[in-house]
Amino acid sequence: MWFGRNGHSEGPTLVLSGGGAMGALQAGVLQVLVRRGFQPSMIVGTSVGALNGAFLAFHPGEGGADALAEVWRGLERERFIKIHPVRVALRIATRRRYLVKSDFLVGLVAEHAVVDDFSATVVPLYITATNLDTGCKHVFSEGSVSQAVLASTAIPGVFDPVLIDGQSFIDGGVTSNLDLATAVELGSREILAIDLSHCFEQPRPANVMDVITRTVDIVMRDRVARDISHLGDRTRIALLQPRIEHGPRIGDLSHVHELIDRGAAFAERVADQCFDPKGRLRAGVYAGDVEIPVGETVPV
């Protein structure tokens, strides 16, 4: 038990990146960290990281991390990006701003919301989205948590932008998929970040979604590298970076069990490296290959 054993009154800030279905892998990493005594002082999440972060902010501790993993396990065989060619063509023809409805995410968030307000979280929570009207990053820290999560997960062009206080919001990954800058601006002295930007290699994209995923992935990786270089001298950052060469596509939830288990195994390998014997965070990038036996993936 790192922090309880060593008398730390508060832990590092937890920063969680986006990554679609790889949020299940992130949940597996969180299970191990929390089980070992990790207690974040605050949480900053983007996209699926906002989903995981919100759950943990309401339900901190080992029980909450285990419950989060169980929520993910219950989603196996689902797809949160369901593309129906005829409906997509109709929406394009009628000039809609999205390709698929976000009903799945709306239901998921509503089902697990406790008290739907940032003021009710046990751990301070910050959710990163992108203001479509201004083109700028927007960090939610008050009001409806569920609406902020939906805004942060609204993949541009796929899901409809979320309207909040007269402004349209889309996926936070557009402006900051791993929002280290917000954590630093909030005064974090130590940051533990889980980055999923290396989980979608797809060196030879097979379809349009693969091309989009690969393109966005390249941009996000570059941004993370620049942020680490720029912010690393202002705060201590430990970056956990699982890497998957061949894995499920971004909207494929048919391998959730494997993702959770492999995420936990990855965390077990790197956990002792990123904290010293006294429970202090060690700065650095803790990367490792994660093999997912995907077999036949569900098309998205």
Side-chain angles (χ1 to χ4, degrees):
M1 298 287 290
W2 286 320
F3 297 98
R5 183 188 65 199
N6 295 296
H8 286 251
S9 59
E10 72 173 33
T13 294
L14 176 65
V15 179
L16 302 174
S17 84
M22 293 300 164
L25 187 145
Q26 195 175 70
V29 174
L30 289 170
Q31 261 193 303
V32 170
L33 295 178
V34 173
R35 191 178 301 139
R36 284 169 165 255
F38 175 62
Q39 300 172 13
S41 57
M42 62 181 167
I43 299 172
V44 179
T46 300
S47 199
V48 78
L51 195 66
N52 284 341
F55 193 98
L56 208 59
F58 280 110
H59 308 281
E62 189 172 341
D66 290 342
L68 175 61
E70 286 307 307
V71 170
W72 277 102
R73 291 183 195 279
L75 302 179
E76 194 144 43
R77 308 310 302 181
E78 290 280 358
R79 282 181 290 162
F80 62 82
I81 302 177
K82 299 180 180 180
I83 294 180
H84 188 289
V86 175
R87 290 175 184 165
V88 167
L90 180 61
R91 283 170 187 147
I92 292 174
T94 54
R95 298 183 180 180
R96 297 286 181 90
R97 298 192 300 174
Y98 63 96
L99 295 181
V100 296
K101 291 185 177 181
S102 56
D103 295 351
F104 171 75
L105 283 172
V106 172
L108 180 64
V109 172
E111 181 182 353
H112 298 285
V114 184
V115 178
D116 190 16
D117 196 280
F118 278 89
S119 64
T121 62
V122 179
V123 179
L125 174 67
Y126 300 85
I127 291 177
T128 302
T130 300
N131 187 315
L132 185 60
D133 300 332
T134 66
C136 298
K137 181 177 80 173
H138 183 92
V139 181
F140 291 97
S141 60
E142 58 183 21
S144 168
V145 174
S146 64
Q147 286 298 104
V149 170
L150 289 173
S152 186
T153 54
I155 301 173
V158 177
F159 295 137
D160 196 16
V162 175
L163 192 65
I164 300 176
D165 294 333
Q167 299 282 302
S168 295
F169 294 92
I170 57 174
D171 199 306
V174 173
T175 47
S176 188
N177 194 51
L178 184 72
D179 195 4
L180 298 169
T182 289
V184 173
E185 289 163 7
L186 289 168
S188 301
R189 298 174 62 185
E190 294 185 331
I191 297 172
L192 189 150
I194 305 175
D195 174 32
L196 303 176
S197 67
H198 285 258
C199 292
F200 299 99
E201 293 288 351
Q202 300 292 347
R204 295 182 179 178
N207 57 44
V208 65
M209 283 302 296
D210 285 355
V211 173
I212 294 172
T213 301
R214 178 63 172 161
T215 302
V216 173
D217 192 39
I218 291 169
V219 173
M220 289 178 177
R221 288 185 193 184
D222 180 66
R223 184 177 297 153
V224 169
R226 284 188 281 112
D227 284 350
I228 289 290
S229 175
H230 174 63
L231 300 172
D233 59 350
R234 297 173 59 185
T235 188
R236 186 179 294 117
I237 302 173
L239 182 67
L240 276 59
Q241 203 169 66
R243 299 181 176 184
I244 299 177
E245 185 172 348
H246 299 288
R249 293 188 173 99
I250 192 169
D252 179 5
L253 296 173
S254 63
H255 302 280
V256 162
H257 280 68
E258 290 91 341
L259 288 168
I260 294 172
D261 292 345
R262 300 306 169 90
F266 164 77
E268 291 285 5
R269 294 199 305 271
V270 302
D272 289 330
Q273 301 173 37
C274 60
F275 285 90
D276 69 19
K278 293 184 178 181
R280 292 178 301 223
L281 196 69
R282 289 190 177 116
V285 177
Y286 301 93
D289 293 332
V290 177
E291 294 185 6
I292 307 296
V294 297
E296 293 296 322
T297 59
V298 178
V300 294

